[in-house]
Amino acid sequence: MTKAGSKGGNLRDKLDGHELDLSLSDLNEVPVKELAALPKATILDLSCNKLTALPSDFCGLTHLVKLDLSKNKLRQLPADFGRLVNLQHLDLLNNRLVTLPVSFAQLKSLKWLDLKDNPLDPVLAKVAGDCLDEKQCKQCANKVLQHMKAVQVDQERERQRRLEIDREAEKKWEAKQRAKEAQERELRKREKAEEKERRRKEYDALKAAKREQEKKPKKETNQAPKSKSGSRPRKPPPRKHTRSWAVLRLLLLLLLLCVAGGLVACRVTELQQQPLCTSVNTIYDSALRGLRSHDILRWVLQTDSQQ
């Protein structure tokens, strides 16, 4: 094992083989991140360095077989710690670890593990047990690996369950969206149909009104000849005019009766000698002679006398 404890120079210049042992003074000189430049290191001792965390680049040391992180202040290991698939010996004595990353289950080559003097979760502490000798440390490695595999399976199952729940929720949301879109399409379709029906009714109303306007002049034209030809009976005159004619005819009848009565009185009675009746009789005789001189009237009078 080569110890990189001298100051100055490159880290690779300090490393003669594949084993590296760093002390506290070495870490003050060489940052832990630079360890990623040593991908082929197989044994690494970082004990007693007051480390509180490891960078994610640290897990690139996939050739590590033995790793000593004891007596530090580590609160957690990197999430991808399981990338150290060749790791067989891991010492985490006297740190501040409560849990281990789920990727710890991928350390299939792990044969030895020490987790003493850590404030572990009670379940993990019970699984790990003591590591007082070689046998117990080997049992600790085996039991912790089995436990972390079970945790990984449970987490994967939980992840799948949540994923399924999310998928179901997404399906429900999509179904709800489709139903909403279908409802909106149906509403737009109904509104479009109602608008179309309204326009059709307006068009039919306008067309009917136009036909009515076209029919009116024809009816007036057809009514005019009928009134002239007399096919339709004339309306009776107003009752006011009928009454006037009746009164006029009655007055004429009374006048004729008066004239006839006066004529008879002047020709038959003793009044014929009166001057008025003499004038009346003269006018009557003259009118009668004039009428007799007319051929038609004479023919009528002869016919009447023969009968």
Side-chain angles (χ1 to χ4, degrees), residues 72-170:
N72 283 290
K73 298 181 180 180
L74 296 173
R75 296 182 179 275
Q76 61 182 7
L77 297 177
D80 55 348
F81 194 80
R83 291 173 59 192
L84 305 177
V85 292
N86 292 312
L87 192 61
Q88 298 179 14
H89 187 285
L90 177 60
D91 192 348
L92 294 170
L93 172 70
N94 195 9
N95 278 278
R96 298 180 181 180
L97 297 173
V98 177
T99 60
L100 297 174
V102 179
S103 64
F104 200 91
Q106 300 174 11
L107 302 177
K108 298 179 180 180
S109 301
L110 190 64
K111 306 295 183 183
W112 193 95
L113 176 62
D114 189 357
L115 287 171
K116 291 192 307 296
D117 299 331
N118 280 283
L120 296 174
D121 178 80
V123 177
L124 181 58
K126 184 178 179 180
V127 171
D130 294 328
C131 183
L132 302 176
D133 54 29
E134 191 72 14
K135 182 179 179 181
Q136 287 182 347
C137 291
K138 287 183 179 180
Q139 289 178 351
C140 177
N142 184 46
K143 290 180 180 179
V144 170
L145 280 178
Q146 295 299 324
H147 173 72
M148 296 309 298
K149 286 180 181 178
V151 171
Q152 186 180 40
V153 170
D154 290 342
Q155 287 192 0
E156 180 64 22
R157 188 181 296 114
E158 180 65 17
R159 189 184 70 84
Q160 291 294 336
R161 187 183 70 84
R162 290 181 179 179
L163 183 61
E164 188 65 25
I165 291 175
D166 292 341
R167 288 176 179 173
E168 289 296 326
E170 186 176 358

Side-chain angles (χ1 to χ4, degrees), residues 24-266:
L24 178 60
S25 60
D26 296 323
L27 283 179
N28 289 335
E29 179 184 356
V30 182
V32 178
K33 291 183 178 180
E34 292 189 8
L35 293 175
L38 306 171
K40 293 184 179 181
T42 57
I43 299 175
L44 185 59
D45 185 359
L46 295 175
S47 61
C48 304
N49 280 297
K50 298 182 181 179
L51 297 175
T52 57
L54 294 176
S56 59
D57 295 342
F58 179 84
C59 300
L61 302 173
T62 56
H63 288 80
L64 281 178
V65 175
K66 185 177 181 179
L67 176 61
D68 189 354
L69 294 171
S70 62
K71 298 180 181 179
N72 283 290
K73 298 181 180 180
L74 296 173
R75 296 182 179 275
Q76 61 182 7
L77 297 177
D80 55 348
F81 194 80
R83 291 173 59 192
L84 305 177
V85 292
N86 292 312
L87 192 61
Q88 298 179 14
H89 187 285
L90 177 60
D91 192 348
L92 294 170
L93 172 70
N94 195 9
N95 278 278
R96 298 180 181 180
L97 297 173
V98 177
T99 60
L100 297 174
V102 179
S103 64
F104 200 91
Q106 300 174 11
L107 302 177
K108 298 179 180 180
S109 301
L110 190 64
K111 306 295 183 183
W112 193 95
L113 176 62
D114 189 357
L115 287 171
K116 291 192 307 296
D117 299 331
N118 280 283
L120 296 174
D121 178 80
V123 177
L124 181 58
K126 184 178 179 180
V127 171
D130 294 328
C131 183
L132 302 176
D133 54 29
E134 191 72 14
K135 182 179 179 181
Q136 287 182 347
C137 291
K138 287 183 179 180
Q139 289 178 351
C140 177
N142 184 46
K143 290 180 180 179
V144 170
L145 280 178
Q146 295 299 324
H147 173 72
M148 296 309 298
K149 286 180 181 178
V151 171
Q152 186 180 40
V153 170
D154 290 342
Q155 287 192 0
E156 180 64 22
R157 188 181 296 114
E158 180 65 17
R159 189 184 70 84
Q160 291 294 336
R161 187 183 70 84
R162 290 181 179 179
L163 183 61
E164 188 65 25
I165 291 175
D166 292 341
R167 288 176 179 173
E168 289 296 326
E170 186 176 358
K171 287 181 180 179
K172 290 181 180 180
W173 182 82
E174 290 178 352
K176 188 176 180 180
Q177 286 296 115
R178 288 195 295 270
K180 184 178 179 181
E181 291 174 358
Q183 187 177 4
E184 290 177 353
R185 287 196 298 270
E186 185 65 24
L187 181 61
R188 289 195 297 269
K189 185 178 179 181
R190 192 183 305 116
E191 290 177 352
K192 190 179 293 184
E194 291 176 356
E195 180 66 17
K196 185 177 180 180
E197 180 66 16
R198 185 183 64 80
R199 291 182 179 180
R200 186 188 65 79
K201 288 181 179 180
E202 290 180 355
Y203 175 77
D204 291 344
L206 291 174
K207 195 172 181 181
K210 186 176 181 181
R211 284 197 299 267
E212 289 296 328
Q213 290 180 355
E214 291 177 351
K215 286 180 180 179
K216 284 182 179 180
K218 293 182 179 180
K219 287 182 179 180
E220 292 176 356
T221 306
N222 294 333
Q223 288 175 359
K226 287 182 180 179
S227 60
K228 291 181 179 180
S229 59
S231 59
R232 288 187 180 183
R234 295 181 179 178
K235 294 182 180 179
R239 297 181 64 182
K240 184 177 180 180
H241 296 287
T242 304
R243 290 178 181 177
S244 300
W245 280 106
V247 172
L248 183 61
R249 282 182 291 182
L250 181 59
L251 292 175
L252 290 175
L253 180 61
L254 291 174
L255 180 61
L256 290 174
L257 288 176
C258 291
V259 171
L263 182 62
V264 170
C266 290

Side-chain angles (χ1 to χ4, degrees), residues 258-273 277 281:
C258 291
V259 171
L263 182 62
V264 170
C266 290
R267 293 188 67 83
V268 176
T269 64
E270 298 177 353
L271 296 175
Q272 59 183 341
Q273 300 298 328
C277 288
N281 290 330

